[in-house]
Amino acid sequence: MALWELQQRRKEVALKNFVHKHLGAFAGKILEEFNRPRAVLFRQIASPTHETIRFLKLAKQMKLKPLILEYYEDKFVSAENRSKRALCKMPIYQYTGLDGRDMVEYETVCDFNISTGKKFKEVVCLNGEQLIPFHHRLFRIGTGLNPKTYSFDASHWFKSVGKNAGEYYEHLLALFIRDGILFENFIPLRSESAFTKKIVLPAFEKLISTYGVKPLIIRLLSDNEEMRRFWDAYPRKIKKHIWT
């Protein structure tokens, strides 16, 4: 249904002009990535978690070229953001117990005391490798895909439309009015739920008011799956490549 709706909206020239005008003067580079319909995942750095692998599989099933929008100039914090924390303290999936709990082992790849508060592009791993190339190397190994082809750093565009999520999130979601489909979960953890209520929902409602249609969003995981530790974790085969 979302794919059919996307195809119909992309035929509307007036909608295209209206959306692209409001995306801002610095949106040209990112719009070049949408010269065809795209399936999109928004994460600070492309990395081969089970969640990312699922996204790539769903995009393939829908015959959409996947794109991971990244944000290198975002700041690394660990206290309230599980996905950010997992980039520096990597959970490696082991097995799922009889009680349904996912068992993981952790590989800490960065010094949290030094890294917290820095931009992702400034963070250095314990092995001396920059954090972004480190995860891109693992992405290439884990997925067989070139991160230069399947990811795009949107930092410049985000910064041009606002300094915080409350300002840039509306523009981010506007990409999914007629240019692509966002794959996402709005997980009901306390901190992330507050983010959804304060940032995501107001932006969503404003876009409906502006364009008369909803951004196209497909849930990446079902209700009973989204809280599993498995999805933030990495396949076991990734572990042997961390320190090489």
Side-chain angles (χ1 to χ4, degrees):
M1 181 64 181
L3 180 56
W4 181 87
E5 182 67 24
L6 175 63
Q7 292 168 340
Q8 299 309 305
R9 293 184 191 181
R10 287 181 69 91
K11 296 176 183 177
E12 299 180 26
V13 177
L15 181 61
K16 173 184 176 180
N17 294 336
F18 190 29
V19 171
H20 289 188
K21 178 181 178 181
H22 284 83
L23 286 176
F26 293 94
K29 282 290 185 181
I30 195 169
L31 286 174
E32 290 177 7
E33 301 292 329
F34 290 88
N35 56 14
R36 58 190 285 188
R38 303 296 295 267
V40 177
L41 180 68
F42 174 44
R43 294 294 180 266
Q44 277 68 26
I45 306 174
S47 193
T49 61
H50 285 115
E51 177 189 61
T52 298
I53 293 169
R54 175 172 171 78
F55 161 69
L56 295 171
K57 288 180 178 178
L58 291 175
K60 185 176 182 179
Q61 289 173 8
M62 295 180 68
K63 298 181 180 179
L64 289 172
K65 186 176 180 181
L67 175 67
I68 301 175
L69 282 184
E70 301 175 298
Y71 192 5
Y72 298 167
E73 293 196 20
D74 198 7
K75 290 185 178 181
F76 170 68
V77 293
S78 63
E80 296 184 353
N81 192 303
R82 195 169 73 179
S83 61
K84 286 184 179 181
R85 183 169 62 250
L87 291 169
C88 289
K89 186 177 180 180
M90 298 171 59
I92 310 298
Y93 175 73
Q94 302 300 308
Y95 64 92
T96 300
L98 295 176
D99 59 359
R101 289 191 299 170
D102 297 319
M103 300 293 107
V104 300
E105 292 182 356
Y106 290 95
E107 288 287 337
T108 300
V109 299
C110 298
D111 185 325
F112 276 59
N113 292 327
I114 296 174
S115 302
T116 298
K118 286 187 176 182
K119 296 177 180 179
F120 280 99
K121 67 179 184 179
E122 299 170 341
V123 176
V124 179
C125 297
L126 295 173
N127 65 356
E129 198 172 358
Q130 292 283 334
L131 183 66
I132 293 169
F134 168 79
H135 279 284
H136 281 183
R137 175 171 62 81
L138 296 181
F139 179 86
R140 187 189 296 268
I141 292 170
T143 68
L145 301 176
N146 185 349
K148 292 182 179 180
T149 302
Y150 290 91
S151 64
F152 179 86
D153 175 26
S155 295
H156 182 64
W157 179 52
F158 288 150
K159 292 293 185 181
S160 74
V161 296
K163 295 182 179 180
N164 55 59
E167 296 174 321
Y168 72 71
Y169 225 86
E170 179 188 335
H171 289 74
L172 170 65
L173 291 182
L175 284 172
F176 310 107
I177 292 293
R178 54 85 56 200
D179 289 290
I181 298 174
L182 178 66
F183 287 71
E184 188 55 274
N185 299 300
F186 299 119
I187 303 173
L189 296 175
R190 180 175 299 176
S191 59
E192 294 181 357
S193 178
F195 177 83
T196 299
K197 292 177 181 178
K198 183 179 179 180
I199 305 297
V200 178
L201 293 182
F204 192 86
E205 291 170 354
K206 186 174 181 180
L207 289 172
I208 295 174
S209 176
T210 300
Y211 299 108
V213 293
K214 298 178 181 179
L216 296 170
I217 302 174
I218 290 179
R219 293 201 65 166
L220 191 54
L221 303 169
S222 61
D223 287 341
N224 63 334
E225 285 285 315
E226 65 181 6
M227 297 298 292
R228 287 187 60 192
R229 198 72 187 92
F230 173 83
W231 297 109
D232 284 332
Y234 293 81
R236 274 177 287 183
K237 67 179 183 180
I238 292 295
K239 182 177 180 178
K240 65 182 179 181
H241 299 286
I242 290 176
W243 302 112
T244 58

